[in-house]
Amino acid sequence: MQWRKFTLNTTTEATDFVIGMLSENGIDSFEIEDRKPLSEEDKNAMFVDILPAPQDDDGRARILFYMDSDVSEEEVGRTLQDIRAGLEELRSFTVVGEGSIEESITEDKDWVNNWKQFFKPFSVDDILIKPTWEPADNPEDYKMVIEIDPGTAFGTGLHETTQLCIRQLRKYITADSRLLDIGCGSGILTIIGRKLGASEALGIDIDKAAVKASAENAEVNHVTERIAFLEGNILEDKELQERAGYDCYDIVTANILADVIIPLSRIVAPHLKVGGLFITSGIIDTREADVVAAIRENPMLELKEITRQKDWVNVTAVRVR
């Protein structure tokens, strides 16, 4: 589907005022492009895999907004006229800058794929992780090469939380391990688990796109046997819990968020064998105590290990009864 894309050139000082004015004129979605450095709080709140390299802030900003290509020229003209009038009003109390508006045509696929320019091959210890569309340099230097195309699912492996989980899988998986990956995203942990030697692996995600991406990535990485992916919410779906199975997993991973891991810790133990491990991440350090408290409240679980990378935390627990 095509969209009319409008780029409004302004300043970082005026950004909030301009967005308010656009909202008053019926523009309810937009993007901001500037060079203001992200704070650590912003980065943590975003919970994204890939951040562009920082640049020097030059005070300029671009605000991108869109209209359906089917909107009439007359309606577009009226809206732009009102926006230009609003910009002139803003000039009386803030530095608007150019205030010019450029128009172009874009498509949905541009938004879906733009992030790919930032995803380059990287390694987690001796595991090379690369996008499917990029060649690998010196793959022979690594124990394994994992190819990933997340599509619209989360999980390139770049985020600290995913790397924390990968290292725990490296530490604990054996050839007899059965793995359950809750919130599998792109399938990266499920796939790495199988490649590390797990005898079977099951990934579950509430997002249909994630389940599709996971299955495709498993095929690309030649691990289509004894691996499966299911769609659903294991927190709420009793049928899905039964399909996953009870007392049968050596390792359950959950790289999600603290607010999901806490209730998950109450229902996950019965899926583990006694002695099995619950490996969790997606936990910002300010929520570590909450997750640890939830683990300790469950008489079936015992805290085993906490590892950290930057502001992110892995909490690993063991089923004890």
Side-chain angles (χ1 to χ4, degrees), residues 202 230-231 238-245 249:
L202 172 64
L230 297 175
E231 178 189 353
K238 295 293 185 182
E239 183 180 344
L240 181 60
Q241 292 174 14
E242 291 176 3
R243 287 184 69 186
Y249 293 101

Side-chain angles (χ1 to χ4, degrees), residues 82-137:
D82 291 342
I83 289 172
R84 290 189 174 101
L87 288 171
E88 290 308 309
E89 291 181 14
L90 292 179
R91 289 186 189 279
S92 64
F93 57 86
T94 190
V95 179
V96 170
E98 281 185 34
S100 60
I101 302 174
E102 303 162 4
E103 181 178 354
S104 59
I105 298 294
T106 189
E107 298 185 17
D108 290 338
K109 65 182 181 182
D110 297 329
W111 302 341
V112 170
N113 292 315
N114 279 346
W115 64 272
K116 289 185 175 181
Q117 63 185 300
F118 303 111
F119 183 15
K120 302 297 181 184
F122 69 101
S123 63
V124 181
D125 303 328
D126 58 357
I127 299 174
L128 178 66
I129 299 170
K130 62 177 283 298
T132 55
W133 58 88
E134 289 262 352
D137 293 330

